[in-house]
Amino acid sequence: MRPISAKILKVIDETPTIKTFRLDTAGWLKGKPGQFVMVWARGVDEVPMALSYEDGITVQRVGEATEAMFRLKEGDTLGIRGPYGNGWELVGDNILIISGGVGSAPLAPLAEKAAAIGVQVTVLAGYRTKEEVHFETRYRKAGKTLISTDDGSYGHKGFVTDLMRDIDLSMYTQIYCCGPEKMMYRVLGILDGHKMADRSQFSLQRHMKCGIGVCGSCCIDPDGLRVCRDGPVFRGDTLISSELGRYARDGSGRRLKLWL
Amino acid sequence: MRLTVEAGGLTLQNPTILAAGILGTTGASLKRVASMGAGAVVTKSIGVEPRYGHPNPSMIKLECGYINAMGLPNPSYREFLQELEVARQAGVPVIASIFGANEAEFREVAEGLPGASAYELNVSCPHAKGYGMQLGTDPALVEAVTRAVKGAVDVPVWVKLTPNVTDITAIGRAAQDGGADAVVAINTVKAMTIDIDSGYPILGNISGGLSGPAIKPIAVKCVYELYEALDIPVIGVGGISNWADAVEFLMAGASAVEIGSAVYDGLEVFASVSMGLSDYLERKNMKLEDLVGLSHRVVKHEAHKC
Ligand SMILES: Cc1cc2nc3c(=O)[nH]c(=O)nc-3n(C[C@H](O)[C@H](O)[C@H](O)COP(=O)(O)OP(=O)(O)OC[C@H]3O[C@@H](n4cnc5c(N)ncnc54)[C@H](O)[C@@H]3O)c2cc1C
Ligand SMILES: Cc1cc2nc3c(=O)[nH]c(=O)nc-3n(C[C@H](O)[C@H](O)[C@H](O)COP(=O)(O)O)c2cc1C
Ligand code: FES
């Protein structure tokens, strides 16, 4: 599909670095939680963004394209194509959501959808600092919510993974996670330690060009799965022996070590 | 029915090959495509230095096909070597697609990627300044580049041609004169598309290349002409998405076919083209070799009658 011109109906300042854009896409964009759209800031770049509402995206300002989006106002337009990718699969009736930063974007609509059909939802949400806390109300409406901040300015002081220590992970029918790669890697490690990786789903980020599974820029090792088409959501056990947490590729295809 | 073919100096278990630039960024992904039934795989085009390619949007599905301007993103041959090594575990020939600005660069990349089953010279990308088509429209340059790589490696060298010329056979002949073992036709056709809400050209690079069903008749014509004009095999590519398309290319003169954009429909495309070909040959009681260039023989036969 060509990018369809979507009008910005509302811009919501979530935090100093995050804005939500509600779009007039209700008539055609039938995405489900976990799917993403390619968002074209005309003349600048086109980048992938998760659907944070049926008709909205939630954007963290990190570089050129997102800065261009931050300059847009109600009434301006963006080019949108999608929805793409597989989305979350809702499994069981008691789920745990582990959210890190703007990783909340695909998770908040999952929490809402699950709660709406009677699934019991627990949320662990981590942020860098109090100012960056967002979607707290959405999460709290959906279920029990525990919050952490790295600097302790709100909620538990420390990483969201600390919050996993005080709960009985084995009660959950499925665990959903999205956030910075380091954080997802830690969560996967903990779940694997509890032999629960096969009961978890993670939404990955990789460099996307085509968004439709043809160019190969988003492929992950060792199975050559495409994040844009086979993902972005993958089961934890699929990721255990993958590149997750070790390296990612930049726009040239070069491997970039994540931290080691 | 047996689908094994000799094409351009390689033996393939079946005549379907993954086209350059499609799912070819990583070794793992090339392996995956091979495991889905491709008879061989071609890597992303690799050059001397890392390139990030053009800004997005860099590929869009249109009504009639696909348009792309990736801009030859690649991590350089030094970085890609490890991916090639992974791809070589695929169990099918791995063809390294390479590009450069001149003979010396082509040679450097070919020598820097040892272990490929063959090299496919990209002298046909329509949207990267100083590379690709800018060389590929000049017969003298094509011949020189082909000869340079041929002299540097001891495996087959294929030359991928652009349809964006008045006479593709002149370029094909230049490749043959340079010592190419096969030509590959065609790369994408120059194209652009505009967002009518804003007036912005959609591709980040403004214009790019068309692929998919829309270019199939153009590609068939190029293959047909090259088959007449050359002594070396022709590998057909452009808009192939099912077995019937493959039959058409073989009849036009292709010894094997590359499949690119159709992976959009599913990675099963390689296996389903092979199965369809096999059924077709059985139905017609023919061998694969009988199909290659059949249209030329049919036409000559008719011509003799009158
Ligand atoms: C499936 C998916 C869903 C995403 N959902 C969200 C979301 O809901 N909210 C949000 O704020 N961010 C999301 N992102 C990340 C977002 O795409 C990047 O932050 C954005 O591309 C940055 O663009 P930029 O030009 O502002 O930054 P740049 O300065 O260009 O880049 C900053 C970083 O962003 C990443 N990036 C740049 N271009 C791309 C690209 N084409 N594909 C993938 N990553 C890229 C790279 O890691 C880069 O290092 C998602 C990414 C993916 C893959
Ligand atoms: C996204 C994309 C990237 C491509 N990259 C390359 C490339 O790096 N080198 C090359 O020689 N051809 C490249 N091509 C051209 C294809 O290999 C092929 O020649 C063309 O797409 C026509 O075949 P198709 O209709 O089966 O896709 C690319 C095509 C597409 C769609
Ligand atoms: S972005 Fe092109 S294959 Fe995923």
Side-chain angles (χ1 to χ4, degrees):
Chain A
M1 71 188 285
R2 292 159 188 273
I4 297 180
S5 198
K7 195 194 265 178
I8 299 170
L9 299 178
K10 205 166 166 196
V11 182
I12 304 145
D13 290 314
E14 305 284 1
T15 81
T17 67
I18 298 174
K19 285 184 200 277
T20 291
F21 299 87
R22 301 297 291 258
L23 307 166
D24 71 343
T25 52
W28 59 272
L29 188 65
K30 307 285 183 206
K32 52 176 196 166
Q35 288 194 295
F36 69 95
V37 286
M38 293 298 289
V39 182
W40 180 30
R42 296 188 184 92
V44 186
D45 203 355
E46 182 197 44
V47 293
M49 288 290 160
L51 287 169
S52 62
Y53 291 91
E54 265 173 31
D55 60 354
I57 54 173
T58 296
V59 179
Q60 179 156 44
R61 190 182 58 213
V62 293
E64 226 191 339
T66 48
E67 256 154 37
M69 286 181 218
F70 265 50
R71 286 193 293 271
L72 299 176
K73 294 181 189 54
E74 281 155 34
D76 290 341
T77 61
L78 283 163
I80 299 282
R81 57 186 178 105
Y84 294 135
N86 57 357
W88 307 107
E89 195 190 336
L90 198 47
V91 182
D93 54 9
N94 186 10
I95 67 170
L96 176 67
I97 285 174
I98 307 176
S99 161
V102 81
S104 61
L107 287 172
L110 171 72
E112 284 168 347
K113 185 176 170 183
I117 59 171
V119 171
Q120 198 171 326
V121 178
T122 306
V123 180
L124 310 180
Y127 305 90
R128 275 192 299 108
T129 175
K130 184 175 183 199
E131 279 193 318
E132 288 299 323
V133 175
H134 60 276
F135 291 173
E136 183 181 358
T137 322
R138 290 181 82 184
Y139 281 147
R140 289 204 189 282
K141 268 195 198 152
K144 183 178 171 203
T145 299
L146 301 175
I147 289 182
S148 73
T149 50
D150 298 356
D151 64 0
S153 49
Y154 187 67
H156 168 85
K157 177 178 162 62
F159 292 137
V160 67
T161 41
D162 301 343
L163 299 173
M164 293 171 74
R165 280 199 215 114
D166 307 327
I167 59 176
D168 176 10
L169 294 169
S170 67
M171 355 183 314
Y172 298 102
T173 50
Q174 195 80 182
I175 294 154
Y176 301 85
C177 180
C178 184
E181 185 140 332
K182 268 189 190 177
M183 169 254 184
M184 289 199 284
Y185 185 65
R186 286 204 186 98
V187 170
L188 179 60
I190 293 169
L191 294 179
D192 188 34
H194 286 76
K195 304 239 179 308
M196 289 183 63
D198 60 345
R199 259 198 263 168
S200 64
Q201 297 173 34
F202 291 77
S203 179
L204 257 56
Q205 293 193 9
R206 283 297 179 267
H207 198 94
M208 290 190 187
K209 290 182 191 289
C210 72
I212 56 175
V214 176
C215 74
S217 75
C218 67
C219 292
I220 54 168
D221 289 344
D223 297 326
L225 295 169
R226 298 161 296 181
V227 172
C228 71
R229 185 82 173 257
D230 306 306
V233 175
F234 295 96
R235 266 174 52 161
D237 50 345
T238 310
L239 295 173
I240 286 201
S241 53
S242 80
E243 66 181 46
L244 177 82
R246 299 179 181 98
Y247 57 86
R249 284 184 172 75
D250 68 11
S252 77
R254 186 162 34 170
R255 292 185 196 184
L256 298 177
K257 283 230 160 47
L258 287 174
W259 68 80
L260 301 172
Chain B
M1 195 57 73
R2 238 168 70 93
L3 290 180
T4 310
V5 287
E6 302 287 328
L10 298 180
T11 305
L12 313 179
Q13 290 302 308
N14 73 66
T16 67
I17 305 172
L18 174 72
I22 312 292
L23 299 178
T25 309
T26 72
S29 162
L30 290 163
K31 256 169 73 177
R32 179 175 180 210
V33 173
S35 76
M36 295 296 283
V41 293
V42 185
T43 69
K44 174 90 216 149
S45 291
I46 303 298
V48 172
E49 295 300 334
R51 283 170 61 96
Y52 291 84
H54 300 311
N56 277 350
S58 50
M59 181 176 185
I60 299 283
K61 184 177 192 292
L62 301 175
E63 307 70 33
C64 57
Y66 303 79
I67 190 167
N68 91 83
M70 306 297 297
L72 299 173
N74 82 95
S76 82
Y77 67 83
R78 296 174 194 85
E79 281 280 329
F80 192 73
L81 192 55
Q82 60 187 335
E83 306 297 338
L84 181 64
E85 261 140 38
V86 173
R88 285 173 62 195
Q89 302 159 5
V92 303
V94 179
I95 300 154
S97 172
I98 64 175
F99 74 93
N102 51 46
E103 295 152 61
E105 281 194 13
F106 265 96
R107 212 188 150 105
E108 181 183 344
V109 180
E111 286 174 338
L113 283 175
S117 312
Y119 295 86
E120 182 182 286
L121 314 188
N122 177 356
V123 289
S124 42
C125 177
H127 44 73
K129 260 213 170 76
Y131 297 104
M133 202 183 117
Q134 290 203 338
L135 270 99
T137 49
D138 180 339
L141 282 176
V142 169
E143 187 180 333
V145 161
T146 310
R147 181 161 292 126
V149 177
K150 210 37 209 173
V153 301
D154 47 17
V155 293
V157 173
W158 298 0
V159 179
K160 183 159 177 193
L161 306 178
T162 173
N164 301 307
V165 287
T166 320
D167 178 11
I168 195 168
T169 64
I171 313 291
R173 244 180 251 113
Q176 178 171 292
D177 293 345
D181 297 274
V183 292
V184 182
I186 57 177
N187 210 313
T188 52
V189 180
K190 280 209 282 186
M192 84 181 277
T193 187
I194 291 169
D195 173 40
I196 61 162
D197 283 301
S198 63
Y200 272 92
I202 294 177
L203 291 172
N205 186 53
I206 296 173
S207 74
L210 193 64
S211 63
I215 69 166
K216 198 184 84 179
I218 301 173
V220 170
K221 166 71 170 152
C222 290
V223 169
Y224 189 89
E225 285 184 7
L226 288 163
Y227 182 83
E228 295 258 277
L230 306 185
D231 303 319
I232 55 175
V234 184
I235 313 292
V237 48
I240 296 161
S241 53
N242 56 50
W243 65 269
D245 295 338
V247 169
E248 200 177 339
F249 272 81
L250 294 172
M251 287 180 165
S255 300
V257 294
E258 294 186 359
I259 298 174
S261 309
V263 305
Y264 173 83
D265 303 318
L267 295 179
E268 310 77 46
V269 61
F270 300 95
S272 67
V273 167
S274 286
M275 283 190 274
L277 262 178
S278 172
D279 290 348
Y280 176 87
L281 292 171
E282 210 145 294
R283 249 189 343 269
K284 297 274 188 181
N285 195 21
M286 289 169 85
K287 291 202 290 293
L288 194 67
E289 303 85 270
D290 303 336
L291 274 186
V292 177
L294 180 74
S295 304
H296 300 264
R297 298 191 288 277
V298 173
V299 170
K300 289 214 176 90
H301 179 70
E302 290 294 316
H304 284 156
K305 267 201 269 185
C306 44

